[in-house]
């Protein structure tokens, strides 16, 4: 004797009586997970591969298409399902079922598509994964496009930066020997430096040399800076500017002033350094009042710091540098009175095995 077939509920349906279902009593059938609300709007779920319901309480129209069939079913709150009259799926004719859907089952071959009425929220629940996939796809595409645009603008910015650097360094000078330098030096915007120095206010001016004036400034993040602004009329200053930019970009030591970046914009050429609040050493040595602040331990600390900086330049750095303009005005003091050698405009770079060199002009101190 063959086993009794096992009944199953359609998607979005559940047993009317779970207790009866568990005892294999399927006579009460299945009900929707959520009751219909015809006045507020229902929808339809598409189920494939089915034997259509018993035709006892049905209605057919041979001239309607599937879209018209759906509209017809929606107009009648007792309409529970619809499909094509033509079971070959060519879209012709309309078949509508009213009341309970009796004798529906999944068939392996020759099944038909049936559109079953459900509460609108059940339809939305089914649509959510598709919406989620669409949203994820859209966001992913947007992120990828954003990354590509960011890469494009970074490369474009680097190319512009390289062009500006090359333009600044296009003339050969004593240290570069005609070579192009690969400077990974931060570039500051002119407006940022102008704002930091109150538009290069005379009140922020720290001093002036052969290259041009130096100003104190404060960036938007609160960092204090010193801005060396090249005078447009200074030809010698241009060579010193290039020399200092190339050398300080490659040198890092606690007793050398730190170059934070440069600004090459609007025919302006500026070097931006860390700010030294105590100024230069000569302002203490040649000032009777301030000179009293330099006791022997501070004198010794300053001398030792300068010596460490020179040892680094002459021997320990990957470049061999001769400063050529070391004097008290070119030794700056930080807030703890630690010395830092500055002003490398006249410095010379030696080869690893070079012990002497020639110069075409008299320079330095």
């Amino acid at each position: 004797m063959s086993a009794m077939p096992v009944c199953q509920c359609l998607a979005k349906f559940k047993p009317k009586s779970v207790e009866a279902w568990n005892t294999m009593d399927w006579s009460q059938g299945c009900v929707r997970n959520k009751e219909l609300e015809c006045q507020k709007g229902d929808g339809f779920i598409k189920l494939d591969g089915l034997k259509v319901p018993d035709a006892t309480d049905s209605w057919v129209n041979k001239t309607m298409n599937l879209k018209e069939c759906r509209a017809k079913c929606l107009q009648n709150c007792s309409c529970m399902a619809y499909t094509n009259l033509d079971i070959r799926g060519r879209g012709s004719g309309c078949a509508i079922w009213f009341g309970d859907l009796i004798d529906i089952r999944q068939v392996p071959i020759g099944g038909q598509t049936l559109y079953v009425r459900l509460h609108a929220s059940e339809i939305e629940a089914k649509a959510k994964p598709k919406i989620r996939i669409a949203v994820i796809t859209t966001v992913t595409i947007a992120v990828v496009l954003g990354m590509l645009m960011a890469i494009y603008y970074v490369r474009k910015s680097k190319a512009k930066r390289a062009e500006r650097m090359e333009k600044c360094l296009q003339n050969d000078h004593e240290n570069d020997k005609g070579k192009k330098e690969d400077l990974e030096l931060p570039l500051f915007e002119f407006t940022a430096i102008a704002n930091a120095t109150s538009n290069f206010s005379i009140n922020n001016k720290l001093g002036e040399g052969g290259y041009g004036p130096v100003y104190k400034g404060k960036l938007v993040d609160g960092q204090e800076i010193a801005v060396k602004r090249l005078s447009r009329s200074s030809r010698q200053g241009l060579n010193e500017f290039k020399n200092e930019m190339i050398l300080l970009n490659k040198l890092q030591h606690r007793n050398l002033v730190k170059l934070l970046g440069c600004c090459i914009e609007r025919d302006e050429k500026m070097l931006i350094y860390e700010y030294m609040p105590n100024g230069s050493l000569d302002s203490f040595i040649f000032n009777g009042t301030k000179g009293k602040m330099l006791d022997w331990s501070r004198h010794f600390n300053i001398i030792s710091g300068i010596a460490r900086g020179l040892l680094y330049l002459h021997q320990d750095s990957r470049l061999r540098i001769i400063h050529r303009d070391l004097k008290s005005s070119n030794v700056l003091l930080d807030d703890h009175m630690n010395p830092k050698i500055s002003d490398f405009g006249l410095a010379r770079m030696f080869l690893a095995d070079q012990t002497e060199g020639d110069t075409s002009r008299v320079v330095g101190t």
Side-chain angles (χ1 to χ4, degrees):
M1 189 172 81
S2 62
M4 184 180 292
V6 177
C7 289
Q8 291 180 330
C9 292
L10 299 174
K12 306 298 181 181
F13 283 72
K14 62 183 178 181
K16 187 172 182 179
S17 171
V18 177
E19 293 80 6
W21 203 268
N22 290 336
T23 62
M24 302 184 72
D25 177 7
W26 302 302
S27 60
Q28 297 182 55
C30 302
V31 293
R32 291 171 177 79
N33 290 337
K34 198 165 185 180
E35 292 184 7
L36 299 175
E37 292 186 1
C38 182
Q39 302 305 321
K40 294 184 179 179
D42 295 322
F44 294 92
I45 185 173
K46 181 182 178 183
L47 300 172
D48 296 315
L50 299 180
K51 173 203 171 292
V52 296
D54 185 89
T56 302
D57 196 6
S58 64
W59 177 88
V60 297
N61 185 303
K62 295 182 179 180
T63 61
M64 281 186 177
N65 58 35
L66 196 61
K67 186 176 180 181
E68 293 169 333
C69 190
R70 181 182 188 278
K72 181 74 174 176
C73 189
L74 273 178
Q75 291 172 2
N76 191 329
C77 291
S78 61
C79 177
M80 296 294 120
Y82 73 92
T83 189
N84 286 321
L85 185 60
D86 186 348
I87 64 171
R88 293 170 295 179
R90 294 180 179 177
S92 60
C94 171
I96 290 176
W97 284 266
F98 303 94
D100 292 336
L101 303 175
I102 300 172
D103 194 23
I104 298 177
R105 61 178 179 272
Q106 205 86 34
V107 293
I109 301 174
Q112 191 170 352
T113 298
L114 185 68
Y115 298 86
V116 178
R117 191 174 198 138
L118 290 176
H119 190 281
S121 63
E122 295 286 286
I123 307 300
E124 291 170 5
K126 185 181 179 184
K128 280 180 182 177
K130 292 183 179 179
I131 295 172
R132 192 179 295 112
I133 290 170
V135 169
I136 292 172
T137 303
T138 303
V139 170
T140 302
I141 292 172
V143 169
V144 171
L145 288 176
M147 289 175 64
L148 290 175
M149 288 180 66
I151 291 170
Y152 168 76
Y153 282 114
V154 166
R155 287 185 176 178
K156 188 175 180 182
S157 175
K158 281 187 175 180
K160 252 185 204 181
R161 178 180 178 281
E163 184 182 346
R164 282 155 65 184
M165 285 288 189
E166 186 176 353
K167 186 177 179 182
C168 176
L169 301 172
Q170 62 188 351
N171 297 320
D172 295 344
H173 64 289
E174 198 170 12
N175 275 327
D176 64 18
K177 303 298 182 186
K179 293 181 181 178
K180 289 185 179 179
E181 298 288 345
D182 183 18
L183 296 179
E184 288 298 327
L185 196 60
L187 280 177
F188 287 80
E189 297 293 333
F190 176 83
T191 52
I193 302 304
N195 291 334
T197 58
S198 300
N199 203 23
F200 305 101
S201 167
I202 189 69
N203 296 327
N204 287 332
K205 190 172 180 180
L206 298 174
E208 187 163 357
Y211 45 80
V214 179
Y215 297 89
K216 178 184 176 181
K218 195 173 196 179
L219 299 175
V220 290
D221 62 1
Q223 182 179 12
E224 291 186 316
I225 55 173
V227 180
K228 183 184 285 189
R229 188 183 191 188
L230 178 67
S231 171
R232 298 186 184 183
S233 61
S234 175
R235 172 60 192 169
Q236 183 57 44
L238 177 60
N239 289 335
E240 293 176 6
F241 176 92
K242 295 175 181 179
N243 200 48
E244 189 151 1
M245 184 165 63
I246 290 170
L247 292 182
L248 278 182
N249 178 60
K250 297 180 178 181
L251 299 173
Q252 295 290 333
H253 191 270
R254 62 178 178 171
N255 293 115
L256 303 183
V257 69
K258 184 178 181 181
L259 180 64
L260 301 177
C262 63
C263 176
I264 307 171
E265 192 178 329
R266 302 187 188 182
D267 295 326
E268 293 275 1
K269 294 178 178 62
M270 292 179 279
L271 294 175
I272 292 85
Y273 302 89
E274 59 179 333
Y275 174 66
M276 297 288 106
N278 282 314
S280 61
L281 179 59
D282 66 336
S283 67
F284 285 84
I285 292 177
F286 303 111
N287 183 304
T289 303
K290 292 178 72 175
K292 294 177 182 178
M293 297 173 60
L294 298 181
D295 55 20
W296 171 241
S297 85
R298 281 181 172 165
H299 271 293
F300 184 77
N301 179 64
I302 291 170
I303 293 169
S304 298
I306 295 170
R308 282 194 299 268
L310 288 175
L311 181 64
Y312 170 78
L313 292 173
H314 295 173
Q315 179 176 304
D316 295 336
S317 73
R318 60 193 181 96
L319 307 174
R320 298 188 68 190
I321 305 295
I322 307 299
H323 189 282
R324 299 205 299 176
D325 197 19
L326 187 63
K327 53 189 176 183
S328 58
S329 60
N330 286 338
V331 176
L332 303 180
L333 302 170
D334 66 14
D335 51 352
H336 297 296
M337 299 295 286
N338 295 312
K340 300 201 178 189
I341 300 171
S342 70
D343 202 341
F344 284 74
L346 300 179
R348 281 287 298 273
M349 182 167 62
F350 276 49
L351 299 176
D353 57 351
Q354 189 178 356
T355 57
E356 61 180 51
D358 295 324
T359 183
S360 58
R361 58 192 175 92
V362 177
V363 296
T365 299

